[in-house]
Amino acid sequence: MQRKLVFVPSLLLFVLTASNLPQLPPVKNPLAPGQNPAAGCSTTDASSCAQIAAKLLPIVMGPSPMEENLRRLTDEIGGRVTGSPEMAKAVEWAVAAFRAAGVEVHTEKYMLPVIWSEGKTRLLFGVSSLLTTPPAEDVSFPLLPVHAVSVGWSPALAADEVYRLVDVGYGSEEEFRHAGSIKGEVLLVHSDIGSTWTDLLNEYLRPPDIIKRAVAGGAIAILWMGARERLLLYRHTNSLKGEIDKIPQAVVAREDAMRMARLVEEFPKTASAELLMPNKIGGPVEQQNVVGEIRGYEKPNEVVILAAHLDSWELGTGALDNGCNATLVIEAARAIKATGLLPRRTIRFVLFSGKEQGTIGSFEYVKTHRAELDKIRAVIVFDSGIGRVTGYSLGGRRDSESGVREILKPLESWGANNDTYDASFGTDNFDFLLEGVPTLVANQEEANYLPNYHASSDTLDKVDMRELKLHTVLAALTAWGIADRTEPLGKRLTRSEIETQMKETGLDRQMKLLGYWDAWQSGVRGRKP
Ligand SMILES: [Zn+2]
């Protein structure tokens, strides 16, 4: 395990020393065994969960540094793509915020294989008889710019040519066949507007097959019709392992793409696109996860992780995804520390980077901490904006449900106790789940998450601070409860139990579609055979 303290300006160090933040000696823990027979989370009013919930509520709901922290992260640092200078600033921000909360903090390094940034993407569209000899039709519209952005981790494309634009509908095998030869052409792929979590899942599950067909047919590039309205642009990636994708791709503003589709239908031989994507690609480069820690008084080597990702895309400022929940993790640490109570087990507050490139930071964390995975009792992840929490997704595990219910009993009236047993890729619990560690991902209502997803509109004004504070209480109580209960929440599953869990939840199908299955089978990812 690498430990490194990040540089903090000397002025800040002075302030922290001068304020002389209170450190609670473990021996005085009022809930230590022997001092309180009801210690540990149970369903009784005397349980430590009931006591800590009563203490957390006023600390979190009252005046706190949370809003100012989030304002600085989003408005001042802004979008923070892993590998960028803004990401480095966000790491400094997180370290300083943990320290200001009086929570021990360090960072852990890993190598990001590729860094990527968008150049000046330019997409021109028109109807041009230049493409055919002799000119096929008399009609011609000049090539004019339309709204487009490069897909994240897309290869660069130099624009010195005009390509025929081919509409392949939604990109099914049949539609590709119907489109005929696509060799040397640019493809337009249709999308529906996304408004549910299932729609969002499909935005990731659909592309791999389409990309395969496009590459096999020798296409030059893919243009994805925007799945959000009103010319809103957003950054997607279809490369989920941090590698540069197989074919250049851009997202085209929905209204522009729909007009293009209409004109392709009208002028199939001469509808043309000129695409310039001078993306900058480099690396590998060292990146960091940020880890705050409150050590347990009885079983300090047993660990509960509360996590969110700190990185974001950069068209907006990453407020809903996931600045609000990165701030939640720090605030949960501040609040638990401020109660003056210590849990039996250690709680780690982890801010991962590399998430948007395929949960790279959490994968690296799992690899580095492989030797202690038997003692990681649970991983709790928040990564869905500020929609109301309805419960946790327990990654296919029914054995952890009663424990979670017991822990959240003090907040039963909040309606956050409808746990589900599904399992999915896509956020930072993934590699822990593949290792058999119990994971909890907050299930949240869609609220305003999807219309702003990865988009230029994902800004601070979208964050409902009251809701975020309520979620902070829930998150802190969940982490506390798992850390303080007498028994572990659930055991670490064996490889064959994990595989059963994958089949039951359909996670195996997702992994096959997205290209994760080989890594699981060969033991690169997940619990070793
Ligand atoms: Zn996210």
Side-chain angles (χ1 to χ4, degrees):
M1 187 173 81
Q2 292 169 306
R3 280 175 174 260
K4 178 178 173 271
L5 290 177
V6 156
F7 169 78
V8 169
S10 53
L11 179 66
L12 182 64
L13 274 178
F14 168 76
V15 173
L16 289 179
T17 316
S19 66
N20 195 16
L21 288 154
Q23 299 285 326
L24 207 98
V27 284
K28 288 197 178 156
N29 177 15
L31 293 181
Q35 295 172 3
N36 182 347
C41 284
S42 64
T43 47
T44 71
D45 288 343
S47 86
S48 84
C49 279
Q51 294 183 34
I52 195 121
K55 283 175 183 276
L56 287 170
L57 261 166
I59 294 170
V60 174
M61 300 311 288
S64 84
M66 192 178 198
E67 192 160 4
E68 173 64 5
N69 277 347
L70 183 55
R71 189 194 63 75
R72 286 179 47 216
L73 178 65
T74 53
D75 281 354
E76 295 183 16
I77 295 171
R80 41 203 180 278
V81 177
T82 307
S84 69
E86 291 77 19
M87 186 70 235
K89 283 185 203 159
V91 168
E92 283 178 20
W93 166 92
V95 169
F98 275 121
R99 289 218 177 111
V103 175
E104 225 179 83
V105 61
H106 67 273
T107 66
E108 299 184 14
K109 292 179 185 170
Y110 65 90
M111 289 305 281
L112 181 75
V114 176
I115 51 170
W116 179 96
S117 64
E118 185 178 33
K120 279 202 183 326
T121 296
R122 199 171 58 121
L123 173 62
L124 304 178
F125 171 75
V127 171
S128 167
S129 56
L130 293 175
L131 279 186
T132 49
T133 38
E137 287 144 44
D138 278 346
V139 185
S140 99
F141 305 115
L143 270 72
L144 292 173
V146 294
H147 303 86
V149 286
S150 174
V151 162
W153 265 245
S154 159
L157 183 69
D160 44 11
E161 278 181 71
V162 175
Y163 305 100
R164 192 167 71 99
L165 185 64
V166 177
D167 188 335
V168 292
Y170 286 84
S172 70
E173 216 171 322
E174 201 194 321
E175 286 166 304
F176 263 83
R177 234 190 343 262
H178 187 249
S181 169
I182 53 167
K183 194 166 172 53
E185 322 280 24
V186 169
L187 309 182
L188 176 66
V189 180
H190 289 233
S191 309
D192 293 325
I193 294 170
S195 59
T196 66
W197 294 125
T198 309
D199 295 340
L200 185 63
L201 184 66
N202 285 328
E203 278 190 52
Y204 288 96
L205 293 179
R206 205 162 68 96
D209 282 345
I210 297 174
I211 290 169
K212 260 184 230 156
R213 287 173 199 132
V215 171
I220 294 288
I222 301 172
L223 303 178
W224 301 96
M225 177 185 284
R228 280 139 201 106
E229 291 180 289
R230 297 176 187 273
L231 301 177
L232 190 67
L233 289 172
Y234 55 90
R235 184 88 68 211
H236 251 303
T237 180
N238 294 316
S239 155
L240 297 177
K241 282 176 261 170
E243 295 156 357
I244 292 300
D245 215 332
K246 295 179 194 75
I247 182 171
Q249 296 162 58
V251 171
V252 182
R254 184 170 187 81
E255 289 79 357
D256 284 338
M258 289 171 80
R259 172 175 164 262
M260 287 159 69
R262 291 191 295 269
L263 286 168
V264 169
E265 197 179 355
E266 188 82 9
F267 306 104
K269 289 183 183 158
T270 50
S272 328
E274 186 182 323
L275 180 60
L276 169 68
M277 291 203 302
N279 295 331
K280 292 166 224 135
I281 294 161
V285 69
E286 204 168 65
Q287 291 294 289
Q288 300 173 87
N289 294 319
V290 182
V291 183
E293 187 171 289
I294 294 177
R295 279 180 78 75
Y297 69 85
E298 189 185 299
K299 296 174 176 172
N301 295 332
E302 295 189 18
V303 177
V304 176
I305 292 176
L306 174 62
H309 68 88
L310 179 56
D311 64 308
S312 76
W313 288 114
E314 83 295 22
L315 298 178
T317 63
L320 291 174
D321 188 10
N322 193 27
C324 62
N325 292 313
T327 315
L328 167 150
V329 167
I330 296 172
E331 178 66 359
R334 186 190 77 86
I336 292 174
K337 185 83 186 176
T339 62
L341 305 177
L342 287 180
R344 269 171 221 272
R345 301 179 183 83
T346 294
I347 305 177
R348 280 191 201 142
F349 304 86
V350 185
L351 299 178
F352 293 115
S353 54
K355 188 265 163 180
E356 298 296 3
Q357 291 70 42
T359 58
I360 292 171
S362 49
F363 178 34
E364 292 295 332
Y365 185 95
V366 165
K367 281 197 282 184
T368 309
H369 291 264
R370 213 153 234 162
E372 65 169 349
L373 289 177
D374 277 340
K375 299 207 161 165
I376 296 189
R377 291 296 176 221
V379 177
I380 308 153
V381 173
F382 277 69
D383 187 12
S384 300
I386 44 82
R388 180 150 295 180
V389 174
T390 55
Y392 288 105
S393 162
L394 301 177
R397 295 189 59 163
R398 287 173 194 274
D399 59 334
S400 34
E401 204 261 343
S402 64
V404 174
R405 188 169 288 277
E406 195 173 274
I407 288 161
L408 291 184
K409 190 156 188 302
L411 303 179
E412 203 159 29
S413 64
W414 292 17
N417 238 338
N418 299 307
D419 301 317
T420 57
Y421 307 102
D422 50 330
S424 185
F425 74 102
T427 192
D428 291 306
N429 72 315
F430 181 55
D431 280 282
F432 292 96
L433 191 151
L434 298 189
E435 290 283 354
V437 174
T439 72
L440 297 82
V441 179
N443 276 332
Q444 299 182 239
E445 289 172 357
E446 284 92 347
N448 58 357
Y449 191 75
L450 291 162
N452 301 297
Y453 182 68
H454 291 175
S456 43
S457 58
D458 183 4
T459 45
L460 182 61
D461 46 288
K462 308 300 183 306
V463 177
D464 179 332
M465 281 309 296
R466 185 173 179 277
E467 207 67 45
L468 184 59
K469 285 185 167 207
L470 293 171
H471 294 169
T472 304
V473 176
L474 266 174
L477 178 61
T478 309
W480 169 275
I482 301 172
D484 202 52
R485 69 203 299 273
T486 323
E487 297 301 317
L489 183 69
K491 65 165 197 160
R492 187 175 175 202
L493 300 184
T494 63
R495 186 172 167 93
S496 71
E497 286 168 334
I498 299 164
E499 220 162 278
T500 304
Q501 169 198 25
M502 285 173 175
K503 286 200 185 94
E504 281 173 5
T505 57
L507 181 61
D508 58 341
R509 282 199 306 278
Q510 287 183 16
M511 288 170 65
K512 282 168 195 167
L513 254 171
L514 296 165
Y516 287 122
W517 193 249
D518 286 351
W520 161 254
Q521 286 206 306
S522 65
V524 168
R525 272 181 123 137
R527 187 144 200 190
K528 297 260 179 286

